[in-house]
Amino acid sequence: MLLSRKKQRKMLPFREQQRKIAYFFILPALISLCIFFYLPVVATFYLSFTRYNILQPPKWIGIKGYTRLLGNPVFWKSLQNTAIYSLGYIPGKMALALLLALILNQKIKGVVVFRTLFYTPEITSIVAASLVWMWLYNVDSGIINFALIKLRLPPQKWLYSIKLALPSITAMCIWKDLGGSMIIFLAGLQRIPDQIYEAARIDGANKWNLFWGMTLPLLKPTSLFVLVWSLILSSQVFTAIYIMTSGGPANSTTTIVHQIYVNAFQYLKMGVGASMAVILFFLIFTLSLLNLKFFKGAEYY
Amino acid sequence: MNSKVKKWSGLSLLTTMMIVVIAQMGFAQTTIVFQTSLMGSKEEARNELIKDFEKAHPNIKIEHRGYHDIYKNHEKLLTSMVGGNPPDLVSNHDHFVPTYAYYNGLEPLDMYFELAGLDSKEIFYQVLLDACTYNGKLYGAPLFSTADALLYNRDIFKEEGLDPAKPPKNWDDLLDYAQRLTIRKDGKLIRAGVELPYGKEETRNRVFLTLLWSNGGKLFNEDLSRATFNTEEGIEALQFYVDLFNKYKVCEIGWGAEVKHGQEPFLIGKSAMEYAGAFELVFINNYAPELNFKPAVFPGRKKQTGPVVSFPIFMPKGTKHKAVAWKFIKFAISKEANTKFAKLCARLPSTKEAGTDSYFKENLPVFIKALEMGTLPPPTPGWKEITDLIQNAMDEALYGIQTSEQALDEAARKANEVLAQY
Amino acid sequence: MTREEDKTKRTNKNIFVLSVKLSLWLLLLFFGVLVAWPFFWTVTTGIKLNSMMYVYPPQLIPYPATFDHYLYVFRKAPFALYFCNTGIYAGSRLILNLFLCSLAGYAFARMEFQGKNVLFIFAVATMMIPYQVRYIPLYVIMKRWPLAGGNDILGRGGMGFLDSFPGLILPEMAAGFGIFLMRQFFLTLPRELEDAARIDGCSEFGIYWRIALPLSKAALAVLGLFTFQGAWNDFVWPLIVTNSQKMYILQLGLQRFQDLQYYEWGPVMAATSTAVIPLLLVFLFGQKFFIRGIALGGVKG
């Protein structure tokens, strides 16, 4: 009988014991996740069918909450803004982080200093970062407009422009988060031993072949992680918007989590916030699942 | 033992017990939790108030919890109410009061005022009182307030041949002066005639209210069931605002945005006039003390009035030390404490008594006047939502996405939905 | 061509290559400094004299430097306490996460058991829940925790875990992020090692502890860094769950100095810097797990 390697593994005798032990391995983490994540999720799911103002007990209204939400243009605008933001944020951040990781994986002089420099945005407090970026984007005295004027280009209103406010925030968020992804890519690159590269080079491969044929495929598990994680992060963008534009001008920068916050805590319409969170959850869940399926079989060696 | 000894020992035992109990009462300390957003520029005033109170009432200690963001203060109150352990006293922006009161989260204060023999109508400025009243009951005691005015630069007035003692008194004057004071070079704004708030600045909504009310318009109808800010008066008000930016170009989006600490355009002479709240005076004192400016009541078309914002102290329901907490409120609205507080943070007092202090007459006469003539947005729990709708309408008109009429109509339609919920 | 010309040609080529490398290095440095500039600005503003604070053009290197802002900040708030509390919070979260997530991640990567894929997605899906909708249910859960803080068996009567360290730490003791990250890294481990160990009679836990973990130092460093940093900078949950000053963590203590209307930059930046410098140190410490060669997989046994 010719069994595939996988099938052969499945028939080995220690499988029984491994199965029992596996459950012990995941038990502590899973219990924690159940209590502290899924219990609130269940509560949120329930609340999404109610009218809840936090100060009084929730009142059941069934599916009405959802139908009203789907008829609200601000909700759709926030979804649209979140999508536009994600389309800029995810590729931008991943490309830059990967590029930096590749460069800083070499034996360059002062590589630790460089890695630290590119990592500092992650540890800069969001308040200080927003201050600096708002100053950068300042219409009269900001450096960006200053440079544009010197280059004979028209200065822009950045955070006060309906078209440019969201891209401006996207740029800042990419800047802030690329250090984290860079580190993850670096850790992934560390797993690839030099010997493989040596062998390939001896076989006559050039730098380009090495990158496309070896590095990228070997980075698949890492890239998948960064992709899904970036997707989740971008769907939940909130603090930058809260500090820098409060969703304006004219709702051009409000995102779905910003709307959740505003509805739940400022308008005291927790039920609406809960409905939005449920919809967001299912959207992201589906997208992530698609990603995971697409990159299936990420096992090597 | 004979009965005499028994009697005396019994009596002395009783007396000792009574002395111990009374002594305990004397030394028994109550701690009141006071949660506020009185931070930053108001921190000193708050510290002094608490210190003075504790000195006058040695049995009571105030534990202060401060959150500078009024929404964090609000979130914290919400969660603690859910958990059943709210602070004894809270001080926050007045627009939260109707919301908390509507959901039965606050303790009405009428009874306390009555028992203490105080008439709240006599004590507070009417306008501030209205902000804390919901459904006929008083839910908060205003601690201090702020009003808006037009600040103008007298030197620049003189330069351009305008009389520095005669600020603009109506919209036509305002437009005329602003046009004369604006300087543009090759289309780039060098000096703004009048600087109006835009974007996410706190004063942004208030400028619309000022224009609306001074044009004779009203926000809502009598029973708060319908929005009326999209009447002709409202449209004229919004259009005037939009025109100042886009048609007459006496101010600009992006002008002076996010600039602080002495680089604000008005402080360095790059704006001839500006719409500002009383707290602006603090900045001018600190960063541009030699600025030759004067506040004036913001010019109105049909009447002079503007919005007033107050910061009351209110009592959440379900706390244990209500009577003791009331003592603090009573102290804070006494003439001395109220005056001292307002002086230390350069704001306006909330009581009429404190307002008679010469300090305010000398330094903030315009603001006191604004307080006396001011109007308050009618208290409704949906205020934040409606404010956001108005903000959005202002944006849409300002950026030319819709006309003033369309923007306000849409906002009014949505506001009616909000009002219908309450 | 003569030997002489050959040599010159080679030297010229070397100089060319060297100068290209040097300019690329300088370019990298330029971008690094640019990216790290807000961080520098935070730290330098904390030691700038008040008189030099708002001059234009801004003073790049504060000279003379002053530590007055730091003294002011330390006098106004009990930073030692904040540091202690934040250290306990971040440290506990770090250790718990490293242990629980690596256990679970290993099981998901290298063990076979029923429902593996479903449970894994279950774990990863917890990342998709925005924290805004979690924290009110979490607050109630912490308050009603049975037999804690004066509660009876049904969780009534007392304050539960509110305003305490368990209340701070428990909700985040395991995160989907960590499980996902560790699983992706464990997937890249060579199976031969595992098989060899099993043949040698090693238990499952032994394989995890003695083989998988040591080979994943880079991944653990990444997870540790992210967890520690997340906890160190955490603001919303500590705000909600703590009340008394004695439980304050750094971010809560910092907001005293952050009145956005009336900003005193010197003290604010001094305070922010004290919170940020430890993160920088942790990052630099973590770097040693990223030096090439340490994290290689070898079939040496």
Side-chain angles (χ1 to χ4, degrees), chain B residues 3-279:
Chain B
S3 53
K4 230 190 188 170
V5 177
K6 260 202 214 150
K7 199 163 104 187
W8 276 114
S9 50
L11 207 61
S12 46
L13 192 60
L14 194 62
T15 323
T16 322
M17 279 173 64
M18 277 180 67
I19 293 177
V20 170
V21 171
I22 292 175
Q24 280 283 55
M25 278 173 25
F27 289 126
Q29 254 213 5
T30 335
T31 307
I32 300 285
V33 177
F34 184 33
Q35 177 178 309
T36 75
S37 288
L38 301 172
M39 312 283 280
S41 55
K42 310 183 198 93
E43 185 160 337
E44 198 194 339
R46 182 244 307 159
N47 278 335
E48 289 296 309
L49 179 65
I50 293 181
K51 230 186 348 184
D52 291 341
F53 175 78
E54 287 181 337
K55 225 189 296 177
H57 295 84
N59 293 350
I60 311 179
K61 191 157 180 330
I62 306 273
E63 182 190 323
H64 174 257
R65 296 185 192 158
Y67 306 100
H68 87 277
D69 182 343
I70 61 175
Y71 286 104
K72 290 278 174 293
N73 183 345
H74 163 69
E75 275 171 57
K76 194 72 181 126
L77 181 60
L78 287 179
T79 42
S80 62
M81 276 169 145
V82 168
N85 53 324
D88 299 286
L89 289 174
V90 181
S91 173
N92 207 344
H93 202 278
D94 60 14
H95 83 250
F96 289 113
V97 172
T99 312
Y100 299 147
Y102 177 78
Y103 294 120
N104 233 334
L106 294 181
E107 189 72 31
L109 298 176
D110 308 87
M111 180 185 76
Y112 295 97
F113 274 94
E114 253 180 67
L115 285 178
L118 298 170
D119 183 358
S120 51
K121 284 210 199 315
E122 289 277 310
I123 301 179
F124 301 111
Y125 291 98
Q126 187 59 41
V127 109
L128 303 179
L129 205 53
D130 288 341
C132 304
T133 313
Y134 188 73
N135 253 350
K137 295 212 189 100
L138 180 66
Y139 285 101
L143 179 61
F144 68 96
S145 60
T146 182
D148 297 334
L150 178 77
L151 303 183
Y152 67 97
N153 187 322
R154 290 164 28 131
D155 288 336
I156 299 184
F157 264 43
K158 246 185 272 176
E159 257 177 54
E160 301 293 336
L162 291 167
D163 185 350
K166 292 224 180 77
K169 288 243 171 334
N170 52 46
W171 287 9
D172 295 323
D173 277 352
L174 181 64
L175 178 59
D176 180 42
Y177 285 32
Q179 281 179 307
R180 299 234 285 240
L181 298 166
T182 305
I183 300 181
R184 273 186 188 268
K185 217 196 279 187
D186 303 323
K188 181 168 153 72
L189 190 65
I190 306 289
R191 185 170 73 199
V194 62
E195 187 180 328
L196 293 179
Y198 55 86
K200 59 179 179 34
E201 264 190 72
E202 166 186 344
T203 38
R204 196 282 249 184
N205 257 14
R206 306 216 291 259
V207 73
F208 175 71
L209 295 180
T210 308
L211 294 173
L212 172 73
W213 288 332
S214 66
N215 196 22
K218 271 195 161 59
L219 269 179
F220 310 119
N221 64 354
E222 280 302 318
D223 59 5
L224 300 186
S225 62
R226 232 179 359 105
T228 57
F229 53 76
N230 59 333
T231 54
E232 212 176 287
E233 289 94 359
I235 299 176
E236 282 169 0
L238 183 56
Q239 194 56 45
F240 185 55
Y241 174 81
V242 171
D243 284 342
L244 285 173
F245 278 93
N246 298 340
K247 187 157 146 201
Y248 305 112
K249 297 200 200 283
V250 297
C251 50
E252 207 169 70
I253 304 174
W255 185 252
E258 317 303 346
V259 181
K260 294 194 191 320
H261 299 287
Q263 297 298 317
E264 289 98 332
F266 185 72
L267 272 67
I268 56 177
K270 279 173 68 171
S271 289
M273 302 189 276
E274 77 164 348
Y275 179 98
F279 53 77

Side-chain angles (χ1 to χ4, degrees), chain C residues 218-234:
Chain C
L220 286 172
V222 169
L223 179 59
L225 194 61
F226 274 101
T227 311
F228 189 80
Q229 196 178 296
W232 194 265
N233 280 336
D234 198 6

Side-chain angles (χ1 to χ4, degrees), chain A residues 9 15 38 119 191 194, chain C residues 112 122 129 191 229 292 295:
Chain A
R9 281 180 174 280
R15 283 292 147 189
Y38 281 103
Y119 190 73
R191 300 257 359 108
D194 280 329
Chain C
E112 297 292 335
F122 186 79
I129 305 166
R191 276 198 189 275
Q229 196 178 296
R292 279 170 78 79

Side-chain angles (χ1 to χ4, degrees), chain C residues 149-213:
Chain C
N151 278 347
D152 60 18
I153 194 114
L154 288 174
R156 283 187 300 228
M159 296 301 290
F161 278 136
L162 288 185
D163 216 21
S164 72
F165 277 113
L168 265 181
I169 300 169
L170 287 179
E172 297 284 350
M173 70 182 198
F177 175 86
I179 299 178
F180 192 8
L181 182 72
M182 294 314 298
R183 183 250 198 190
Q184 297 303 99
F185 274 90
F186 283 132
L187 281 179
T188 66
L189 288 181
R191 276 198 189 275
E192 295 79 34
L193 281 177
E194 217 184 307
D195 294 338
R198 245 182 235 123
I199 291 172
D200 278 350
C202 198
S203 72
E204 287 302 326
F205 187 78
I207 299 177
Y208 157 78
W209 188 256
R210 264 179 261 149
I211 297 188
L213 271 193

